[in-house]
Amino acid sequence: MVDKSAPRSGTLTARPAMKHLLDTTSADLRQWLAAHGHPGYRAAQIERWVLENRAADFAAMSDLPVELRQQLASEFQIFTSQIVSHRQADDGTEKLLLQLADGGRIECVLLRDGLRRSICISTQVGCAMGCVFCASGLDGVDRNLTTGEIVEQMLRLQHLLPADERLSHIVAMGMGEPLANLDRLLPALHIASDAKGLGISPRRITISTVGLPPAMDRLIELGAKYQLAVSLHAPNDELRSRIVPVNKNIGLGEVLAAAQRYLEASGRRLTYEYVLLAELNDRPEHTRQLAALLKGQTALLNVIPYNPVAGLPYRTPTPAAQRSFREILERAGVNVQFRERKGDQIDAACGQLRRSTPATDTSLVTLESPAS
Ligand code: SF4
């Protein structure tokens, strides 16, 4: 394991209020250009530099007039976060802990699997859903991320790749409940999927949710074509309300019905997520209930053996319990897959790095961008 968060420059520096370029729409950028006497087509050039050519500063934008580059640098920042910690595991997983302009901290992860270059991004600072096994929700939610802060995670992780590699998959499964911040998430995913953005097919973009039916219905209304992964974590309401407290106000039946509506409207594959917790939701009776619940569904059940979090009492199920869980489901005809745990060495599970890095740890890491 490599931890690249060795102290370099002491305390985090206060920055003057600058506009976040990634929170500036193309229309606003064109307006700004016109107000400064530049043609509108420069907006597309600037966006290409940032999204395709991985430019991390305006000075690198060699086909823009020097005066424009200076004007941009005096009013805009491309990145507003700073890297507090950058960890790399032997399996190729890399994790960044970012400190936002207001001091909030979020995590994002790059996973390497064959030719896949997947990233997992956060959508909120903290989380209000309160899943009992999760480090991200322990202190509740501070705020929603802006669209620019969501895109910035994608670009920070893209910069970790060599110039000839591209991001292939995105999952909004980091810190926060993505559907609680839909208005900012969707424009960010549009940039990710747009041919002039990161060019990642919507089929390769997954929104993970505990299941908020009104927001799932909004996705349908808006014609979203992203994959949806719905976290179940329990096969009945009593247990689910203990593990995912927000379930008390929703109910498993509503969640499954909304998921089915999204499946029918979008034509996308539906995935259910199930974090397997030793002796809590991994017993044979849970498995049988789950099999009955998913009977006849075309959905994929993704089982994630729990990744222990310091300070929380939950444990990884034994290999025998995992085997039995899988066998009962397979016998019942459920399409089940166990997800490999990556990045255990680097606190890769959601929220762990943030918790294990004290807020007083203000050591900075400078990101080296291979293509800027
Ligand atoms: S598992 Fe996801 S939804 Fe649940 S508390 Fe953690 S970040 Fe929030």
Side-chain angles (χ1 to χ4, degrees):
M1 179 186 90
V2 178
D3 186 345
K4 299 180 177 173
S5 38
R8 290 211 184 166
S9 53
T11 52
L12 295 173
T13 46
R15 295 184 168 188
M18 303 268 276
K19 296 191 205 73
H20 193 182
L21 185 75
L22 302 175
D23 262 323
T24 308
T25 63
S26 302
D28 287 347
L29 189 54
R30 280 195 298 274
Q31 212 169 40
W32 181 90
L33 286 162
H36 289 74
H38 300 284
Y41 68 80
R42 296 285 186 205
Q45 278 178 290
I46 295 164
E47 285 165 358
R48 202 161 41 243
W49 271 109
V50 173
L51 298 170
E52 268 182 46
N53 299 335
R54 307 184 192 182
D57 64 62
F58 295 106
M61 301 180 182
S62 52
D63 57 359
L64 299 186
V66 173
E67 186 202 10
L68 172 55
R69 283 186 251 169
Q70 288 166 346
Q71 288 169 328
L72 285 164
S74 69
E75 289 197 36
F76 291 94
Q77 281 178 282
I78 299 175
F79 291 156
T80 57
S81 71
Q82 299 183 64
I83 298 175
V84 176
S85 177
H86 173 191
R87 292 187 176 187
Q88 193 163 9
D90 296 341
D91 63 12
T93 304
E94 294 188 57
K95 183 163 197 170
L96 299 178
L97 176 64
L98 301 178
Q99 179 152 313
L100 305 171
D102 67 355
R105 290 181 169 192
I106 55 166
E107 302 176 355
C108 53
V109 184
L110 167 69
L111 298 122
R112 294 178 165 87
D113 185 10
L115 293 176
R116 275 187 182 218
R117 297 293 177 264
S118 308
I119 60 170
C120 178
I121 54 169
S122 296
T123 51
Q124 297 181 304
V125 182
C127 184
M129 299 299 117
C131 304
V132 291
F133 56 80
C134 171
S136 289
L138 284 176
D139 300 320
V141 66
D142 288 339
R143 67 170 175 88
N144 287 328
L145 296 185
T146 66
T147 294
E149 288 167 335
I150 297 171
V151 174
E152 183 161 332
Q153 295 170 71
M154 301 174 193
L155 299 184
R156 289 276 196 198
L157 294 165
Q158 179 199 51
H159 283 212
L160 301 181
L161 297 175
D164 60 347
E165 289 185 10
R166 293 169 53 86
L167 298 178
S168 62
H169 294 73
I170 296 179
V171 287
M173 198 182 272
M175 188 177 293
E177 162 54 55
L179 293 191
N181 190 17
L182 202 51
D183 289 336
R184 292 163 196 87
L185 174 64
L186 287 180
L189 295 186
H190 178 74
I191 291 170
S193 57
D194 193 67
K196 291 185 183 147
L198 299 180
I200 300 171
S201 162
R203 289 178 181 279
R204 294 177 166 196
I205 296 177
T206 302
I207 301 175
S208 171
T209 176
V210 295
L212 305 180
M216 289 155 86
D217 287 336
R218 250 194 91 209
L219 277 180
I220 297 172
E221 279 162 32
L222 295 170
K225 294 291 177 204
Y226 304 112
Q227 310 280 5
L228 198 62
V230 180
S231 298
L232 295 181
H233 306 328
N236 61 61
D237 272 323
E238 190 274 318
L239 183 57
R240 190 167 195 261
S241 295
R242 272 165 52 204
I243 297 176
V244 185
V246 73
N247 185 65
K248 286 182 204 132
N249 307 322
I250 304 170
L252 206 40
E254 281 299 309
V255 172
L256 292 172
Q260 198 59 34
R261 288 195 294 276
Y262 184 78
L263 169 79
E264 281 160 19
S266 67
R268 290 293 187 238
R269 189 190 65 190
L270 184 60
T271 304
Y272 291 115
E273 304 277 332
Y274 196 102
V275 168
L276 204 58
L277 300 147
E279 288 165 41
L280 185 61
N281 64 359
D282 67 338
R283 296 190 182 135
E285 66 265 28
H286 301 136
T287 324
R288 283 191 287 271
Q289 284 173 17
L290 189 59
L293 203 63
L294 301 182
K295 196 169 183 220
Q297 293 216 18
T298 49
L300 172 72
L301 177 70
N302 229 336
V303 180
I304 309 120
Y306 184 60
N307 197 2
V309 171
L312 291 181
Y314 307 100
R315 288 176 296 109
T316 309
T318 61
Q322 293 184 38
R323 230 177 2 258
S324 152
F325 193 85
R326 180 199 284 262
E327 281 167 9
I328 295 174
L329 288 165
E330 282 178 346
R331 273 203 302 275
V334 175
N335 185 9
V336 59
Q337 138 183 309
F338 271 59
R339 196 184 316 144
E340 193 191 336
R341 286 171 21 170
K342 283 187 167 270
D344 281 8
Q345 297 168 301
I346 55 166
D347 293 340
C350 171
Q352 286 196 81
L353 181 56
R354 187 174 80 138
R355 285 199 79 75
S356 66
T357 308
T360 49
D361 179 354
T362 51
S363 57
L364 283 182
V365 175
T366 306
L367 186 68
E368 286 164 13
S369 167
S372 61

